[in-house]
Amino acid sequence: MSLIPVIAIDGPGGSGKGTISREVARILGWHLLDSGALYRVVALQVRQESIDLADEAAIAALAQSLDVRFDTAAGEERIWLQDVDVTAEIRSEACGVAASRVAVLGAVRAALTERQRRFQQLPGLVADGRDMGSVIFPDAGLKIFLTASVDERAGRRYKQLNEKGISVSLRTLRRDMADRDKRDSERPVAPLRACSDAKVFDTTGLSIEKVVSTVLDWASDTWPGQAAD
Ligand code: DC
């Protein structure tokens, strides 16, 4: 196990990874890596620069030199691409779908690897994504794979988007989610799947509080005296 503790939280879209990771990191006072946001920012810039999605080398070069900054100074997470605040823009469904397309490219994943590993800093890191436990932090002391039924996940995302004033159809959302799951799970490079040493946690029907407290219990079992026990 690495000296700087890492909790790797992987799983499909809408499984609650983002909310759970943010809350666990906040309670523990640890750093947070929202790796999906990196893929979303790459996708946004690819679109802005009208780069062809088939041009793997150009997208990898862009990912390598990406000028992205995660800012939590004011107590809320803001994401900057160069000097533009893209926090809201990258959360759109279109950007999620585009992110899932750039994420199939091996050279793009490789270009983002070191950048993600630099988030491992004291006192600890909660890393949220698809390949945190399998590829980026294979030595993570605690690996969790969150799942929930596709209906429940689509329902959660629908509620989230509605709360932000973004109108979508639940049916389209469910279909896009199922497509995205398929693309993320079937890609040859770092496919979405639970690694053998991950705790698989089905959150269907569970409250955020229940999931967070279970993760915190596992963390304090893994790092007694170090992780909020
Ligand atoms: O978690 P998210 O919805 O923000 O992720 C957007 C897309 O990025 C998702 O469809 C797959 C991809 N992704 C990935 O391939 N690997 C990661 N570690 C994180 C996200």
Side-chain angles (χ1 to χ4, degrees):
M1 204 193 294
S2 159
L3 284 177
I4 302 178
V6 177
I7 303 176
I9 304 187
D10 291 303
S15 60
K17 284 175 302 128
T19 308
I20 303 302
S21 301
R22 200 168 305 118
E23 192 55 10
V24 168
R26 189 187 64 75
I27 293 170
L28 294 177
W30 289 10
H31 299 276
L32 175 70
L33 166 60
D34 175 357
S35 62
L38 282 176
Y39 287 93
R40 287 172 182 264
V41 171
V42 171
L44 183 66
Q45 202 170 353
V46 162
R47 204 174 57 200
Q48 284 172 351
E49 296 189 11
S50 306
I51 298 174
D52 188 340
L53 275 174
D55 192 346
E56 181 163 358
I59 303 176
L62 183 153
Q64 188 75 54
S65 62
L66 200 65
D67 182 7
V68 63
R69 196 161 48 83
F70 291 82
D71 178 9
T72 49
E76 58 172 326
E77 188 184 292
R78 308 244 49 112
I79 301 168
W80 298 82
L81 175 59
Q82 287 146 12
D83 51 1
V84 180
D85 181 346
V86 294
T87 318
E89 199 174 356
I90 61 163
R91 294 296 161 205
S92 72
E93 272 309 288
C95 207
V97 172
S100 140
R101 291 186 185 279
V102 301
V104 301
L105 305 170
V108 174
R109 305 197 72 85
L112 292 176
T113 300
E114 274 315 307
R115 188 188 291 266
Q116 295 178 79
R117 291 189 177 144
R118 286 200 293 273
F119 279 77
Q120 186 178 3
Q121 287 181 21
L122 285 169
L125 173 68
V126 180
D128 156 9
R130 304 290 192 288
D131 60 345
M132 298 295 98
S134 56
V135 177
I136 306 295
F137 302 108
D139 296 334
L142 177 58
K143 299 181 185 179
I144 298 166
F145 191 85
L146 287 187
T147 61
S149 69
V150 70
D151 284 327
E152 169 126 355
R153 291 188 286 118
R156 286 177 188 172
R157 185 57 65 83
Y158 180 74
K159 196 162 157 253
Q160 228 172 37
L161 292 172
N162 264 342
E163 280 165 4
K164 288 185 191 154
I166 302 171
S167 97
V168 279
S169 117
L170 183 58
R171 219 163 128 243
T172 312
L173 207 55
R174 190 190 182 288
R175 191 200 56 213
D176 286 355
M177 193 163 261
D179 286 352
R180 185 130 67 100
D181 283 356
K182 189 165 151 54
R183 189 162 45 240
D184 292 345
S185 326
E186 292 181 356
R187 67 179 175 224
V189 191
L192 170 70
R193 73 173 60 115
C195 35
S196 58
D197 52 350
K199 291 179 189 296
V200 178
F201 188 6
D202 187 339
T203 67
T204 307
L206 297 183
S207 67
I208 292 169
E209 293 72 26
K210 175 67 193 159
V211 180
V212 168
S213 76
T214 306
V215 173
L216 289 173
D217 285 348
W218 286 335
S220 60
D221 290 348
T222 310
W223 297 282
Q226 211 179 335
D229 54 358

